[in-house]
Amino acid sequence: MFSRLKNLSKVELLLIGAAAIILVASLVLHATYKDIFFSSKVSSEDVIARVVTSSNNTRRRSPESFEFKEIKKDDVLANGDYIFSGEGSQIMVKFQNGPRIMIGEQSLIVLRELDGNPDLKLEQGAISGAFEEGSEIEIMTEKEAVILNGEKDSQFYVSYLNGGGLEIGSFDRNIQLEYNGKKVSLKNQKATIFKSAGIKVKDTGTGEDSAKQPDQASQAPAPDAQPRMPSGLDVGTPNNAGRITLNPPYPQQNHVFIHKKGGQIPIFPKQQCQGSCELKLNVDGKSAVIKKFQRDMVPFIFLTVQPDIEAKIHWEFSDGSEVVSGDFQVRKNNKENFQDAFKRQLPVEIMN
């Protein structure tokens, strides 16, 4: 072979060398084609949101790509990204200039930002979220478009309806809805929106009225019951309670905390005690904790939850003649619990 090469002219050798280079380049290009032309990397100037939590079968497709790729916690998201959440999955994202958004299972959302505000296209499924202070969000389908805004930590949900309509719900804080120039305020209410019917609003029954309904967790314990925290739950008081950034009362009424590995849930009924005050916890209908605070103290505790624990908690706080109370649940992170909370339109927080 080498003897044959010696007999070739310089021109022939150059042509063979050029052909070899082209062949190697073609093989490299073929192997890296997707990475070069359909890169999943997001440049810093295009970032509009970040993944807070993500379960299995949640995927992203950039506007330049034809392929959905898996996304994980702390991944960044760009303007125009498609987000898909499969069966039994959900993903929470936090906009750099806007609210936190939970994308429910079997949903397809296009994330966009317009004039510095989130602009979402809901193609199927549902989302829920919580506003930051002064944030605004536009949500649209192929037929409808609404603008939502609310005070800090006010929560909402939006579901895609057959025919391209929307269902929008609020909880115990006001949400402002704007549709075709008409503005509506929602609090413990939901609204359906169709171009043919306009806006229709009705109460959800998840506010103060429902809190007055009898429930195992909200029943007062017997007078002789001794407080006792069940196994798998405990309470503590943080050292930096004076630096709390939550807005009391927290948790919200009928809040559902969903977890796999356990964690800590803050309970914060009031900014500061005006006199001697007291916080009581009932767990599954039984007295569990009585915590007293002195005047000017911050009435704040956290509930530590171990893995595999589920419970219904009722809290009651008294400061002189002032009495406030609320209920929340701790449930395992699985498809059934998430679907149940979403179906009942309850505020949900995924702990892990």
Side-chain angles (χ1 to χ4, degrees):
M1 176 178 179
F2 290 105
S3 61
R4 292 179 180 178
L5 290 175
K6 289 180 181 180
N7 297 326
L8 296 175
S9 66
K10 289 184 179 180
V11 173
E12 290 172 325
L13 289 173
L14 287 173
L15 290 173
I16 291 172
I21 291 172
I22 293 172
L23 176 62
V24 171
S26 298
L27 293 173
V28 172
L29 181 62
H30 177 76
T32 60
Y33 180 79
K34 287 186 177 179
D35 291 332
I36 293 174
F37 294 99
F38 300 107
S39 174
S40 61
K41 293 183 179 179
V42 179
S43 61
S44 57
E45 60 268 22
D46 291 332
V47 174
I48 62 171
R50 183 175 297 274
V51 178
V52 179
T53 61
S54 177
S55 63
N56 295 329
N57 198 18
T58 53
R59 301 179 180 274
R60 162 187 173 254
R61 178 174 76 79
S62 67
E64 298 82 16
S65 174
F66 298 102
E67 180 182 5
F68 279 90
K69 295 187 176 182
E70 183 182 4
I71 47 179
K72 300 178 181 178
K73 180 181 177 182
D74 296 326
D75 282 354
V76 293
L77 303 170
N79 209 342
D81 276 357
Y82 286 76
I83 305 298
F84 171 76
S85 180
E87 184 177 358
S89 302
Q90 64 269 337
I91 174 174
M92 179 182 285
V93 303
K94 171 66 177 70
F95 280 91
Q96 293 192 137
N97 301 311
R100 303 184 300 275
I101 298 294
M102 174 67 74
I103 301 172
E105 69 168 350
Q106 296 182 325
S107 296
L108 180 61
I109 312 292
V110 184
L111 301 184
R112 298 178 295 196
E113 189 174 79
L114 183 64
D115 297 330
N117 292 318
D119 181 85
L120 305 184
K121 185 177 181 182
L122 184 58
E123 298 198 355
Q124 69 179 56
I127 64 171
S128 61
F131 282 107
E132 297 292 329
E133 190 169 2
S135 58
E136 180 180 281
I137 183 171
E138 182 171 0
I139 301 173
M140 61 187 301
T141 67
E142 70 276 11
K143 294 185 177 181
E144 309 295 351
V146 298
I147 297 175
L148 302 178
N149 60 66
E151 60 184 284
K152 183 176 174 60
D153 295 328
S154 55
Q155 294 193 342
F156 63 92
Y157 73 88
V158 182
S159 299
Y160 180 91
L161 300 177
N162 291 335
L166 290 168
E167 180 178 279
I168 300 169
S170 67
F171 300 99
D172 59 353
R173 297 187 182 182
N174 281 319
I175 298 294
Q176 300 295 324
L177 182 158
E178 183 177 347
Y179 173 69
N180 284 347
K182 182 178 179 180
K183 295 184 179 181
V184 174
S185 180
L186 303 176
K187 183 176 180 181
N188 290 319
Q189 294 173 306
K190 65 180 179 181
T192 55
I193 295 174
F194 282 100
K195 188 168 293 185
S196 58
I199 304 176
K200 292 186 177 180
V201 178
K202 68 177 182 178
D203 293 338
T204 61
T206 59
E208 295 178 358
D209 291 339
S210 66
K212 297 176 183 178
Q213 298 299 321
D215 184 89
Q216 183 183 7
S218 62
Q219 297 301 312
D224 59 347
Q226 295 299 314
R228 182 179 179 182
M229 182 60 74
S231 176
L233 297 173
D234 201 359
V235 294
T237 304
N239 295 325
N240 59 344
R243 299 181 181 179
I244 299 167
T245 58
L246 296 171
N247 290 325
Y250 186 91
Q252 295 186 47
Q253 177 62 24
N254 295 323
H255 205 119
V256 179
F257 294 90
I258 294 181
H259 73 102
K260 287 184 178 178
K261 302 177 182 179
Q264 292 185 337
I265 299 172
I267 302 174
F268 183 33
K270 189 178 180 181
Q271 196 74 44
Q272 189 177 43
C273 291
Q274 301 300 312
S276 296
C277 50
E278 184 178 78
L279 175 62
K280 298 179 181 179
L281 294 187
N282 290 352
V283 178
D284 293 329
K286 297 180 180 180
S287 178
V289 172
I290 298 178
K291 177 71 175 177
K292 296 182 181 294
F293 301 88
Q294 299 302 314
R295 181 176 179 177
D296 298 328
M297 289 183 67
V298 178
F300 181 98
I301 64 174
F302 56 80
L303 179 69
T304 301
V305 181
Q306 298 299 319
D308 298 322
I309 293 298
E310 292 192 326
K312 292 183 179 181
I313 293 92
H314 173 75
W315 60 267
E316 182 175 291
F317 175 77
S318 59
D319 186 358
S321 59
E322 178 187 3
V323 178
V324 293
S325 63
D327 300 275
F328 64 92
Q329 296 182 45
V330 179
R331 303 178 73 174
K332 296 178 185 178
N333 190 342
N334 57 42
K335 177 181 177 180
E336 291 73 21
N337 284 340
F338 186 82
Q339 286 183 332
D340 178 65
F342 202 85
K343 182 178 180 180
R344 294 167 59 196
Q345 302 168 6
L346 302 177
V348 175
E349 182 170 332
I350 308 297
M351 297 173 63
N352 47 61

